[in-house]
Amino acid sequence: MKTTFKKRLLASLLCGAMAVSLAACGGDSAASTGGGSSAAGDVVELQIGFENSASEPIGQGLEKWAELLDEASGGTMKITLYPDSQLGSKNELIDSMLLGEPVATLADGAFYADYGVPDFGIVFGPFLFDDWDQCWTLIESDWYAEQSAKLEEQGLKLLASNWAYGARHTMTTTPVHSVDDLAGLKIRVPNNQIQSYGFDVLGAVSTGMDLGDVYMALQSKTIDGAENPIATLYGRKLHEVAPYLILDGHVLNFTTWVCSADWFNSLTEEQQNWLVETGEEAGVYNNQVLEEQEQEYLDQMVAEGVTVYEPTEEELNGFREKAQAFYEMGDTFGWSDGLYETVQAAMGK
């Protein structure tokens, strides 16, 4: 478990020391360090770090969020964006949140499983969802609310969960048409247990790696492929060094925006509402942009020499059959008894 009494104590001491220091200096920037009850004229700033390019739909959605929050708060709250991992890796950002820092990032159930809420990891399981409606039904369910509350107890607050990141597909240096073609291929996945095992059960050799390192790893043949939504694969120009794409859609990836629970709770109720409501509104915008641009990215990749393969239903069933082994590993992940069946019911299946 990542959150400890010592970390919470350190966070409190740091916040207290910062407040004393700012007061002594007569500073007026307390809001930008996370306080919600700042003096008139101060601006509460949330720094959002993310590994994607600003040009991707997710980046455009964040720009919309910043605009909406500025408008809703009358300029008293602001979002500052740091694309391309400028603020550090996802894990580094999450660790900063646990110390009460005013930062946020995008993360998914697979990461939250590693931060004290193991059942959350199932949402990133391979071939769990049949369509996006099942995703949106799940995030409105009592089960999802319970997991979110458990995450908040660990020090992390979910701001919005209605953002589509995209269906995740696999891009490789050699053609892949069936699950058997994945056997032995080193495929980059984010640094978490769930996604690693999710690809291992398909026969690949999962390789955890930060997204910013993937292009060089493909170019040097350290890995044989990577998986991500089309917008991210194109945004990182991975098709230049891995010209084969199979549209397997192994995960329908909705993403969440997460921040420090301590920082969030330092805001006034009005500030909290502004932040959450504009985040969800920006999520709707993001999903529209993603839908409009995904086919454009795919067309551009084809024009630039990518060979795209759309598997048959029979071939996809081969993937699904191998993926079932993942859901039999509940003890490995520390899942509750009957979790798979519980989630299936929560998503309306």
Side-chain angles (χ1 to χ4, degrees), residues 45-50 54 58-67 78-84 86-87 257:
E45 178 184 12
L46 176 64
Q47 298 178 336
I48 299 184
F50 56 109
I58 205 88
Q60 296 176 53
L62 285 170
E63 289 176 355
K64 173 61 73 172
W65 191 359
E67 293 172 7
K78 67 178 289 188
I79 286 173
T80 305
L81 304 179
Y82 295 89
D84 300 311
Q86 292 176 26
L87 282 185
W257 293 100

Short mmCIF file of all heavy atoms in Angstrom, two decimals, residues 45-50 54 58-67 78-84 86-87 257:
data_model
loop_
_atom_site.label_atom_id
_atom_site.label_comp_id
_atom_site.label_asym_id
_atom_site.label_seq_id
_atom_site.Cartn_x
_atom_site.Cartn_y
_atom_site.Cartn_z
N GLU A 45 -4.41 26.97 -8.45
CA GLU A 45 -3.87 26.34 -9.66
C GLU A 45 -3.75 24.83 -9.47
O GLU A 45 -3.25 24.35 -8.45
CB GLU A 45 -2.49 26.91 -9.99
CG GLU A 45 -1.86 26.25 -11.22
CD GLU A 45 -0.45 26.74 -11.49
OE1 GLU A 45 0.12 27.42 -10.60
OE2 GLU A 45 0.07 26.44 -12.57
N LEU A 46 -4.18 24.10 -10.48
CA LEU A 46 -3.97 22.65 -10.55
C LEU A 46 -3.08 22.36 -11.76
O LEU A 46 -3.42 22.73 -12.88
CB LEU A 46 -5.30 21.92 -10.70
CG LEU A 46 -5.20 20.39 -10.86
CD1 LEU A 46 -4.59 19.75 -9.61
CD2 LEU A 46 -6.57 19.78 -11.15
N GLN A 47 -1.96 21.73 -11.51
CA GLN A 47 -1.05 21.36 -12.60
C GLN A 47 -1.39 19.95 -13.06
O GLN A 47 -1.39 19.01 -12.25
CB GLN A 47 0.40 21.42 -12.13
CG GLN A 47 0.84 22.80 -11.68
CD GLN A 47 2.28 22.81 -11.18
OE1 GLN A 47 2.80 21.79 -10.76
NE2 GLN A 47 2.91 23.97 -11.22
N ILE A 48 -1.68 19.80 -14.34
CA ILE A 48 -2.01 18.49 -14.89
C ILE A 48 -0.87 18.01 -15.77
O ILE A 48 -0.57 18.61 -16.81
CB ILE A 48 -3.33 18.51 -15.69
CG1 ILE A 48 -4.49 18.91 -14.77
CG2 ILE A 48 -3.59 17.14 -16.31
CD1 ILE A 48 -5.86 18.87 -15.43
N GLY A 49 -0.21 16.95 -15.34
CA GLY A 49 0.85 16.34 -16.12
C GLY A 49 0.32 15.09 -16.81
O GLY A 49 -0.42 14.31 -16.21
N PHE A 50 0.70 14.90 -18.07
CA PHE A 50 0.25 13.71 -18.79
C PHE A 50 1.29 13.35 -19.83
O PHE A 50 2.09 14.18 -20.26
CB PHE A 50 -1.13 13.93 -19.43
CG PHE A 50 -1.24 15.12 -20.35
CD1 PHE A 50 -1.37 14.97 -21.72
CD2 PHE A 50 -1.22 16.42 -19.84
CE1 PHE A 50 -1.48 16.07 -22.56
CE2 PHE A 50 -1.34 17.53 -20.67
CZ PHE A 50 -1.47 17.35 -22.05
N ALA A 54 0.18 17.19 -26.73
CA ALA A 54 -0.92 18.16 -26.59
C ALA A 54 -1.84 18.15 -27.79
O ALA A 54 -2.99 18.58 -27.71
CB ALA A 54 -0.34 19.56 -26.39
N ILE A 58 -6.92 13.88 -26.26
CA ILE A 58 -6.87 14.05 -24.80
C ILE A 58 -6.31 15.42 -24.44
O ILE A 58 -6.75 16.07 -23.49
CB ILE A 58 -6.05 12.92 -24.15
CG1 ILE A 58 -6.49 12.72 -22.69
CG2 ILE A 58 -4.57 13.15 -24.23
CD1 ILE A 58 -7.62 11.77 -22.51
N GLY A 59 -5.33 15.90 -25.23
CA GLY A 59 -4.77 17.22 -25.00
C GLY A 59 -5.78 18.31 -25.31
O GLY A 59 -5.86 19.32 -24.58
N GLN A 60 -6.55 18.11 -26.37
CA GLN A 60 -7.58 19.09 -26.72
C GLN A 60 -8.69 19.12 -25.66
O GLN A 60 -9.23 20.18 -25.34
CB GLN A 60 -8.16 18.76 -28.09
CG GLN A 60 -7.13 18.87 -29.21
CD GLN A 60 -7.69 18.44 -30.55
OE1 GLN A 60 -8.73 18.93 -30.99
NE2 GLN A 60 -7.01 17.53 -31.22
N GLY A 61 -8.99 17.93 -25.12
CA GLY A 61 -9.98 17.88 -24.05
C GLY A 61 -9.52 18.62 -22.82
O GLY A 61 -10.31 19.30 -22.15
N LEU A 62 -8.24 18.52 -22.51
CA LEU A 62 -7.69 19.22 -21.35
C LEU A 62 -7.71 20.73 -21.55
O LEU A 62 -7.96 21.50 -20.61
CB LEU A 62 -6.28 18.74 -21.07
CG LEU A 62 -6.15 17.35 -20.44
CD1 LEU A 62 -4.70 16.90 -20.43
CD2 LEU A 62 -6.72 17.35 -19.02
N GLU A 63 -7.41 21.16 -22.76
CA GLU A 63 -7.48 22.60 -23.04
C GLU A 63 -8.91 23.11 -22.84
O GLU A 63 -9.12 24.21 -22.31
CB GLU A 63 -7.00 22.87 -24.46
CG GLU A 63 -5.49 22.67 -24.64
CD GLU A 63 -5.05 22.84 -26.08
OE1 GLU A 63 -5.92 23.03 -26.96
OE2 GLU A 63 -3.83 22.78 -26.33
N LYS A 64 -9.89 22.31 -23.24
CA LYS A 64 -11.28 22.68 -23.03
C LYS A 64 -11.60 22.74 -21.53
O LYS A 64 -12.30 23.65 -21.07
CB LYS A 64 -12.19 21.66 -23.71
CG LYS A 64 -13.68 21.84 -23.43
CD LYS A 64 -14.21 23.20 -23.89
CE LYS A 64 -14.31 23.26 -25.40
NZ LYS A 64 -14.99 24.49 -25.87
N TRP A 65 -11.07 21.79 -20.78
CA TRP A 65 -11.29 21.78 -19.33
C TRP A 65 -10.73 23.06 -18.70
O TRP A 65 -11.38 23.70 -17.87
CB TRP A 65 -10.62 20.55 -18.71
CG TRP A 65 -10.97 20.28 -17.28
CD1 TRP A 65 -11.80 21.01 -16.45
CD2 TRP A 65 -10.51 19.19 -16.48
NE1 TRP A 65 -11.87 20.44 -15.21
CE2 TRP A 65 -11.09 19.32 -15.19
CE3 TRP A 65 -9.65 18.11 -16.73
CZ2 TRP A 65 -10.84 18.41 -14.16
CZ3 TRP A 65 -9.40 17.21 -15.71
CH2 TRP A 65 -9.99 17.36 -14.44
N ALA A 66 -9.53 23.44 -19.11
CA ALA A 66 -8.92 24.66 -18.58
C ALA A 66 -9.79 25.88 -18.88
O ALA A 66 -10.00 26.75 -18.02
CB ALA A 66 -7.52 24.84 -19.15
N GLU A 67 -10.33 25.94 -20.08
CA GLU A 67 -11.20 27.07 -20.47
C GLU A 67 -12.48 27.07 -19.64
O GLU A 67 -12.91 28.12 -19.14
CB GLU A 67 -11.56 26.96 -21.96
CG GLU A 67 -10.39 27.15 -22.91
CD GLU A 67 -10.77 26.84 -24.35
OE1 GLU A 67 -11.99 26.61 -24.60
OE2 GLU A 67 -9.87 26.80 -25.22
N LYS A 78 -7.38 27.86 -11.99
CA LYS A 78 -6.76 27.66 -13.29
C LYS A 78 -6.14 26.27 -13.37
O LYS A 78 -5.74 25.67 -12.36
CB LYS A 78 -5.69 28.71 -13.57
CG LYS A 78 -4.47 28.62 -12.67
CD LYS A 78 -3.42 29.68 -13.03
CE LYS A 78 -2.75 29.37 -14.35
NZ LYS A 78 -1.59 30.27 -14.61
N ILE A 79 -6.07 25.76 -14.59
CA ILE A 79 -5.38 24.51 -14.89
C ILE A 79 -4.20 24.83 -15.78
O ILE A 79 -4.34 25.53 -16.78
CB ILE A 79 -6.32 23.51 -15.59
CG1 ILE A 79 -7.34 22.94 -14.60
CG2 ILE A 79 -5.54 22.38 -16.25
CD1 ILE A 79 -8.41 22.07 -15.23
N THR A 80 -3.03 24.34 -15.39
CA THR A 80 -1.83 24.48 -16.21
C THR A 80 -1.44 23.11 -16.72
O THR A 80 -1.35 22.16 -15.94
CB THR A 80 -0.67 25.09 -15.40
OG1 THR A 80 -1.10 26.33 -14.83
CG2 THR A 80 0.53 25.34 -16.30
N LEU A 81 -1.22 22.99 -18.03
CA LEU A 81 -0.99 21.69 -18.66
C LEU A 81 0.49 21.44 -18.92
O LEU A 81 1.22 22.33 -19.35
CB LEU A 81 -1.77 21.61 -19.98
CG LEU A 81 -3.28 21.84 -19.89
CD1 LEU A 81 -3.92 21.74 -21.27
CD2 LEU A 81 -3.93 20.86 -18.92
N TYR A 82 0.90 20.20 -18.67
CA TYR A 82 2.27 19.77 -18.92
C TYR A 82 2.26 18.45 -19.69
O TYR A 82 2.27 17.37 -19.09
CB TYR A 82 3.03 19.60 -17.60
CG TYR A 82 3.21 20.89 -16.84
CD1 TYR A 82 2.25 21.33 -15.92
CD2 TYR A 82 4.34 21.69 -17.04
CE1 TYR A 82 2.41 22.52 -15.24
CE2 TYR A 82 4.50 22.88 -16.35
CZ TYR A 82 3.54 23.29 -15.45
OH TYR A 82 3.70 24.49 -14.77
N PRO A 83 2.20 18.52 -21.03
CA PRO A 83 2.17 17.29 -21.84
C PRO A 83 3.55 16.63 -21.91
O PRO A 83 4.54 17.15 -21.37
CB PRO A 83 1.74 17.81 -23.21
CG PRO A 83 2.24 19.22 -23.25
CD PRO A 83 2.13 19.73 -21.84
N ASP A 84 3.59 15.47 -22.58
CA ASP A 84 4.86 14.77 -22.86
C ASP A 84 5.68 14.48 -21.61
O ASP A 84 6.91 14.57 -21.61
CB ASP A 84 5.69 15.58 -23.86
CG ASP A 84 4.97 15.79 -25.18
OD1 ASP A 84 4.46 14.80 -25.73
OD2 ASP A 84 4.90 16.94 -25.65
N GLN A 86 6.27 16.08 -18.95
CA GLN A 86 7.13 17.16 -18.47
C GLN A 86 7.19 17.24 -16.95
O GLN A 86 8.18 17.74 -16.39
CB GLN A 86 6.65 18.50 -19.04
CG GLN A 86 6.81 18.66 -20.53
CD GLN A 86 6.21 19.96 -21.04
OE1 GLN A 86 6.10 20.93 -20.30
NE2 GLN A 86 5.83 19.99 -22.30
N LEU A 87 6.16 16.77 -16.27
CA LEU A 87 6.16 16.80 -14.81
C LEU A 87 6.62 15.47 -14.21
O LEU A 87 6.63 15.32 -12.98
CB LEU A 87 4.75 17.12 -14.27
CG LEU A 87 4.28 18.57 -14.32
CD1 LEU A 87 2.94 18.71 -13.63
CD2 LEU A 87 5.30 19.51 -13.68
N TRP A 257 -9.26 11.15 -14.34
CA TRP A 257 -8.35 12.19 -13.89
C TRP A 257 -8.34 12.16 -12.38
O TRP A 257 -9.38 12.19 -11.73
CB TRP A 257 -8.77 13.55 -14.43
CG TRP A 257 -8.61 13.59 -15.92
CD1 TRP A 257 -9.59 13.43 -16.86
CD2 TRP A 257 -7.39 13.73 -16.65
NE1 TRP A 257 -9.05 13.47 -18.13
CE2 TRP A 257 -7.70 13.65 -18.03
CE3 TRP A 257 -6.06 13.93 -16.26
CZ2 TRP A 257 -6.73 13.77 -19.02
CZ3 TRP A 257 -5.09 14.03 -17.25
CH2 TRP A 257 -5.43 13.95 -18.61
#
